[in-house]
Amino acid sequence: MSSPITDIPARGGNIVAVNAPADAERKGLTKKEIAADHPTWCPGCGDFSVLALYFKLIEKRKLWHEKITTVAGIGCSSRFPYFVQAHGAHYIHGRALPFASGISLSRPDLHLFVFGGDGDAFSIGGNHFNHTARKNIKMTYVVMDNWVYGLTKKQTSPTSPLGFKSKTDQWGAVDYPINPMKQAIAAGASFVARTTHTNPNHVLQMMEAAMDHDGFSFIECLSECVEFYEGAFDASNPRKGGMFNEVPKTHDVTDEMAAYKLANEPFPGYFGIFYKSAKPTKNAKEANIIKTSQEKVKGLKDWEILQKTFDRLK
Ligand SMILES: Cc1ncc(C[n+]2csc(CCOP(=O)(O)OP(=O)(O)O)c2C)c(N)n1
Ligand code: SF4
Ligand SMILES: [Mg+2]
């Protein structure tokens, strides 16, 4: 993989390119340059579309290897970073968001994308979801929701509907499912959108809008598990006799209550941007604290600052 040499910026600082051609002179990556391992998903799995559209986004927006980071937890969907030729990590089940938060806060110049499943996001990673959203840490989180645990071969997930028969609910799920959109809005996510893998143009549109948002952007992307929950989303797919309803043009995306109402609609519900607000990110707030602190200790080396701190603690 060839990429220009770049200096790692100080926290909150700007990246300085060394020996790199000017951005305008650089060509965007081709699909061949972005793709890594051949995906190991089952033929027909919805996750293929999401990956293909991520490649399209990288091509279209001329993102370069050294500017993209792809992070995931564990699950079929979380295998995502294996298939992308870029920096990233396939991390611990449910812990993708805290790992990604560290990346975001130390390298704000990167385009940071986190992919994962409904189990990863809302079961084991449920608390991380709420806290990353409320802190408004800049990254794009795409949850590939298939309403089931795919990798571990069909257990009930937090989004499985009532009555869903699985290995953990042989007589049908009895627990009420969560609504990812309501959860994201209530947690304080500053960008909340919904899409489905069967509408490629819409997925790309949502990813672009999420990437351009300065804050924690969340996308629920329906992504069918053809192996363990075939037909789950037919009601949202016009090719299967369903309805793909876009968010009404009159919807005010800054109106939290209106977004909540949209999210409350029964399946198939609406697709598009439900909520968007421009509130300061944790990245910006931390950068500000660092800048102010650095102004106070001008001229001191890092170890001298540490020494002073320890001396004060004595
Ligand atoms: C700490 C821990 N607990 C449980 C597991 C087993 N496990 C792996 S993936 C997974 C759930 C995957 O479901 P989801 O996040 O919805 O992803 P999908 O496979 O459906 O894309 C579970 C329970 C694990 N790997 N680590
Ligand atoms: S088990 Fe389901 S989610 Fe996993 S790769 Fe196969 S179709 Fe996709
Ligand atoms: Mg799942």
Side-chain angles (χ1 to χ4, degrees):
M1 189 175 89
S2 66
S3 61
I5 304 159
T6 47
D7 283 349
I8 305 295
R11 273 159 64 90
N14 289 323
I15 197 159
V16 182
V18 180
N19 298 334
D23 281 0
E25 291 165 25
R26 294 179 68 187
K27 283 202 181 107
L29 297 173
T30 61
K31 194 185 154 206
K32 207 172 156 200
E33 288 169 311
I34 312 162
D37 280 359
H38 184 71
T40 47
W41 293 312
C42 308
C45 175
D47 296 352
F48 280 103
S49 320
V50 186
L51 181 68
L53 291 154
Y54 186 49
F55 289 164
K56 204 153 210 137
L57 174 84
I58 294 169
E59 269 181 275
K60 184 175 172 200
R61 298 297 293 268
K62 282 188 150 196
L63 307 180
W64 297 296
H65 287 125
E66 77 278 10
K67 285 287 187 187
I68 325 158
T69 306
T70 316
V71 174
I74 301 287
C76 289
S77 41
S78 293
R79 297 183 72 81
F80 214 90
Y82 280 137
F83 314 135
V84 185
Q85 183 69 271
H87 302 291
H90 185 214
Y91 197 52
I92 305 168
H93 193 31
R95 310 289 181 240
L97 289 180
F99 185 77
S101 297
I103 297 173
S104 176
L105 293 169
S106 55
R107 289 292 305 272
D109 56 302
L110 299 178
H111 294 288
L112 175 58
F113 295 88
V114 184
F115 293 89
D118 37 308
D120 196 76
F122 306 120
S123 271
I124 194 166
N127 262 332
H128 295 307
F129 178 73
N130 288 332
H131 293 294
T132 315
R134 88 179 159 86
K135 291 175 186 180
N136 200 26
I137 302 176
K138 180 158 173 49
M139 68 182 80
T140 295
Y141 187 28
V142 181
V143 172
M144 293 137 88
D145 192 358
N146 55 12
W147 290 358
V148 67
Y149 290 180
L151 187 76
T152 42
K153 301 181 187 285
K154 202 177 189 178
Q155 290 83 23
T156 302
S157 102
T159 53
S160 302
L162 286 171
F164 173 62
K165 288 193 177 143
S166 74
K167 291 194 178 116
T168 42
D169 279 296
Q170 297 191 17
W171 297 274
V174 292
D175 297 322
Y176 301 100
I178 65 139
N179 177 323
M181 302 299 282
K182 278 160 73 173
Q183 187 122 344
I185 299 162
S190 54
F191 177 103
V192 182
R194 185 165 180 259
T195 188
T196 168
H197 77 104
T198 52
N199 192 330
N201 288 339
H202 195 262
V203 175
L204 183 61
Q205 217 182 308
M206 292 303 108
M207 278 193 192
E208 281 199 78
M211 184 187 110
D212 290 337
H213 176 71
D214 188 20
F216 181 75
S217 49
F218 167 71
I219 302 175
E220 183 199 15
C221 180
L222 304 180
S223 182
E224 186 177 339
C225 171
V226 290
E227 191 67 26
F228 300 118
Y229 207 154
E230 198 180 7
F233 307 129
D234 283 1
S236 64
N237 183 356
R239 286 191 294 276
K240 299 270 177 78
M243 297 277 283
F244 178 83
N245 297 316
E246 286 207 56
V247 166
K249 293 224 173 349
T250 50
H251 173 65
D252 175 4
V253 291
T254 63
D255 184 338
E256 195 174 327
M257 293 304 148
Y260 205 80
K261 270 191 189 155
L262 271 187
N264 212 27
E265 287 295 319
F267 195 83
Y270 288 95
F271 295 92
I273 301 170
F274 284 37
Y275 184 64
K276 192 166 147 62
S277 74
K279 61 180 180 187
T281 58
K282 184 176 175 85
N283 308 63
K285 290 182 185 181
E286 277 207 348
N288 212 14
I289 295 170
I290 291 165
K291 192 168 159 257
T292 318
S293 313
Q294 277 170 346
E295 274 161 13
K296 282 191 198 148
V297 293
K298 250 186 200 135
L300 286 189
K301 295 193 172 68
D302 282 358
W303 69 266
E304 288 170 325
I305 301 168
L306 264 182
Q307 185 64 58
K308 275 189 141 214
T309 311
F310 288 137
D311 288 347
R312 266 203 307 274
L313 292 172
K314 273 181 196 163

